[in-house]
Amino acid sequence: MTDAVRVAVGTGSPEGVNGAYVLPDAGVVVDPGPSGDEPWEALRAGIADADLALNDVEHVLVTHWHADHAGLATRLADAADARIAMHAADAPLVASYADERARRLDRDAAALRRWGVPRDVRTALVEADRPSPLPDTYEVRELSDGDVVAGVELLSTPGHTAGHASFVYDGPRGDTLFLGDLLLPTYTPNVGGSDTRTDDPLAAYLRSVDRVADAFDRGEPGHGTTVDVASEAASVREHHRERARRVLDVLPAAGAATPWTVARELFGEMRGIHAKFGAGEASAHLRRLAAIGAVERCEGDPVAYRVRPGAHSDSIGSNLTP
């Protein structure tokens, strides 16, 4: 009896090699990985090494819509005659890929403008976006928190994306938690720039981290190997506390600054996807600081923030969420 077999697939993600997980006793693959022939061959070999025939894969579960996790989902589903399932908030970005990609590019361009990113930077970023080799449409089962597929329960853990999910497998040896990009051993998942649909991504993300930390000791991440959930959760909380303090410190004592200006102070020169991630993370922290009363949003477009009287980095408490 085997709970899960990790298969290393792909090398193109900023977070490193993806981990697909094969659950042979359930006929399930979690996060098959990025598109391409090389990842596909690695995935097929991993499924075989797990003593699962390809046509015995019945369900493809995807933690979130990002291409390095969902890129092989339709190819695997076709080859195995399996069914894809995702959280309902992310499912359309795979199920209606062509239309949703167009909407995403428009949405990203609008967010970048709102954050104060210069026109040339945001234009180059949108123009550099390359489509994934996914079909324009595909049937995807939409799941909600608590839904179970073949003994695997979905936990809604938004923040990295609006519909990010973790999965819990009630396997032969007990529960196994699959984290997607919620917690990673060598990288703190980007919050804000990784999905521009989210209103308060940092709050959602930290609540999701708390949810798994309260219930699990160990987890299997979407990149890297098994993590100690409590330790990684504590590290993530401290990272974002320090980042929030740093954001507050770089805001001018008088006047206001856009998320882009703050991101430049934090991260320096940014181009390509790093511009989106940097400005998005600055925006997420500024929105969270506004929610806890440390900064206030100014009128105007692009959006800008200023420090509230009396607020300073040392006044930020241990918890950024309500």
Side-chain angles (χ1 to χ4, degrees), residues 244-259 261-262 265-266 285-286 289 294-296 304-308:
R245 293 180 182 122
R246 177 69 177 140
V247 167
L248 199 57
D249 283 341
V250 302
L251 282 172
T258 66
T261 301
V262 170
E265 290 292 327
L266 294 175
H285 279 83
L286 286 163
L289 287 168
V295 305
E296 59 185 2
Y305 295 83
R306 60 179 169 234
V307 179
R308 283 186 178 273

Side-chain angles (χ1 to χ4, degrees), residues 45-307:
I47 293 171
D49 288 345
D51 293 326
L52 183 66
L54 188 62
N55 60 7
D56 287 333
V57 176
E58 297 181 354
H59 303 282
V60 181
L61 303 182
V62 183
T63 59
H64 60 296
W65 63 265
H66 288 167
D68 59 322
H69 293 257
L72 282 177
T74 60
R75 188 170 180 177
L76 176 58
D78 281 342
D81 194 22
R83 190 171 186 187
I84 300 172
M86 304 174 64
H87 188 280
D90 273 17
L93 284 95
V94 175
S96 302
Y97 176 74
D99 288 345
E100 289 298 329
R101 178 176 180 269
R103 293 188 185 100
R104 176 178 61 79
L105 291 176
D106 289 344
R107 184 169 58 243
D108 287 357
L112 291 164
R113 181 195 56 75
R114 193 167 58 248
W115 295 337
V117 178
R119 181 189 296 272
D120 63 324
V121 176
R122 63 179 191 258
T123 299
L125 176 57
V126 171
E127 289 178 348
D129 190 283
R130 295 290 179 263
S132 297
L134 293 173
D136 288 353
T137 61
Y138 203 90
E139 183 178 355
V140 177
R141 178 181 174 187
E142 295 188 353
L143 302 177
S144 299
D145 188 59
D147 284 348
V148 177
V149 176
V152 184
E153 180 183 0
L154 182 144
L155 300 183
S156 178
T157 50
H160 183 62
T161 69
H164 188 284
S166 301
F167 291 105
V168 181
Y169 175 42
D170 182 13
R173 304 176 191 275
D175 286 350
T176 302
L177 171 67
F178 302 101
L179 290 159
D181 281 356
L182 179 63
L183 293 171
L184 301 175
T186 60
Y187 181 90
T188 300
N190 183 272
V191 179
S194 55
D195 191 335
T196 54
R197 295 176 296 166
T198 49
D199 291 329
D200 192 348
L202 183 54
Y205 174 69
L206 292 174
R207 285 193 293 265
S208 294
V209 168
D210 288 344
R211 181 180 189 185
V212 297
D214 287 343
F216 299 93
D217 295 324
R218 296 165 69 80
E220 307 303 327
H223 306 267
T225 54
T226 306
V227 298
D228 180 296
V229 172
S231 175
E232 291 299 327
S235 177
V236 160
R237 293 187 198 103
E238 181 56 28
H239 167 83
H240 285 293
R241 282 194 295 269
E242 288 303 314
R243 179 59 49 81
R245 293 180 182 122
R246 177 69 177 140
V247 167
L248 199 57
D249 283 341
V250 302
L251 282 172
T258 66
W260 176 250
T261 301
V262 170
R264 287 289 304 273
E265 290 292 327
L266 294 175
F267 309 120
E269 185 70 25
M270 294 168 290
R271 290 283 172 178
I273 195 66
H274 299 291
K276 180 184 173 188
F277 284 175
E281 184 161 345
S283 172
H285 279 83
L286 286 163
R287 280 184 280 184
R288 191 88 294 269
L289 287 168
I292 65 174
V295 305
E296 59 185 2
R297 180 174 173 171
C298 307
E299 295 292 333
D301 188 17
V303 63
Y305 295 83
R306 60 179 169 234
V307 179

